[in-house]
Amino acid sequence: MPLERDVFLRRLLRELSGALEDVVGLEEASGYISLVGAAMGEHINDEYRRALVVERLDRRQLGEVLVDLKRRIHGDFSILEEDENQIVFGNTTCPFGDFVQGRPSLCMMTSNVFGAIAAESQGYAAVRLERTIAAGDPACRVVVLLRPADAATPGAREYFRRDDVG
């Protein structure tokens, strides 16, 4: 694989996430990467809202934006199911490419970017990474819940609109 900017940056992220996982453990590494993902989600949400000239994305726009975002960074996400309570995404190509293999903490980028954008537009989101390429699955399955459940949803990370927190 020739050395060029994209390969260099993906390898850099792989090595950084691996170092974090080795030094502080997977859970803490995922937490650090979550902070970056949340900041990226806020920035990306602002960019899409400006481009669409809306204060908040509606549910249809939300799904389209998340698919478009991943397409722009060379992922292959699509909407598998959608209703008023959730959007289920499938993905066959990770934006990190083969560099994601064995680095599940990198999946926190997807969780937090999706969660931040969904929560800002819908008021609440919970993201469950049911299957990931990083964990060795052939494809990803990402569920974005748009309504709080009566009981905790196992394996889901919750996100709230910034002005609703406090």
Side-chain angles (χ1 to χ4, degrees), residues 91-107:
N91 173 48
T92 57
T93 305
C94 182
F96 293 112
D98 291 340
F99 295 102
V100 78
Q101 293 294 328
R103 295 291 190 265
S105 63
L106 287 174
C107 297

Side-chain angles (χ1 to χ4, degrees), residues 1 6 9 23 39 69 74 86 102 119-120 130 132 138 146 149:
M1 187 177 311
D6 183 62
L9 291 174
V23 172
L69 158 65
H74 303 279
Q86 68 179 6
E120 284 302 311
E130 291 186 346
T132 66
L146 304 172

Side-chain angles (χ1 to χ4, degrees), residues 6-76:
D6 183 62
V7 171
F8 173 80
L9 291 174
R10 284 187 287 154
R11 182 170 298 282
L12 174 68
L13 287 171
R14 175 180 172 75
E15 297 305 326
L16 283 170
S17 64
L20 273 172
E21 289 176 22
D22 291 345
V23 172
V24 299
L26 177 58
E27 190 171 327
E28 290 295 319
S30 295
Y32 286 116
I33 292 171
S34 292
L35 294 172
V36 176
M40 292 293 294
E42 288 179 28
H43 172 73
I44 292 166
N45 185 51
D46 290 344
E47 292 295 320
Y48 274 101
R49 285 185 314 100
R50 269 195 289 282
L52 295 169
V53 193
V54 296
E55 185 174 331
R56 291 202 166 93
L57 304 171
D58 63 30
R59 186 176 46 84
R60 181 191 54 76
Q61 289 171 321
L62 173 63
E64 291 171 358
V65 159
L66 296 179
V67 168
D68 181 66
L69 158 65
K70 290 297 189 169
R71 180 192 53 78
R72 289 174 183 260
I73 60 172
H74 303 279
D76 187 25

Side-chain angles (χ1 to χ4, degrees), residues 82-141:
E82 181 176 10
D83 62 36
E84 63 278 353
N85 296 315
Q86 68 179 6
I87 306 173
V88 180
F89 297 90
N91 173 48
T92 57
T93 305
C94 182
F96 293 112
D98 291 340
F99 295 102
V100 78
Q101 293 294 328
R103 295 291 190 265
S105 63
L106 287 174
C107 297
M108 288 301 102
M109 289 298 293
T110 294
S111 180
N112 281 273
V113 169
F114 278 27
I117 294 172
E120 284 302 311
S121 68
Q122 305 299 300
Y124 170 87
V127 178
R128 188 172 62 239
L129 305 171
E130 291 186 346
R131 291 191 296 271
T132 66
I133 294 169
D137 294 306
C140 299
R141 181 177 170 91

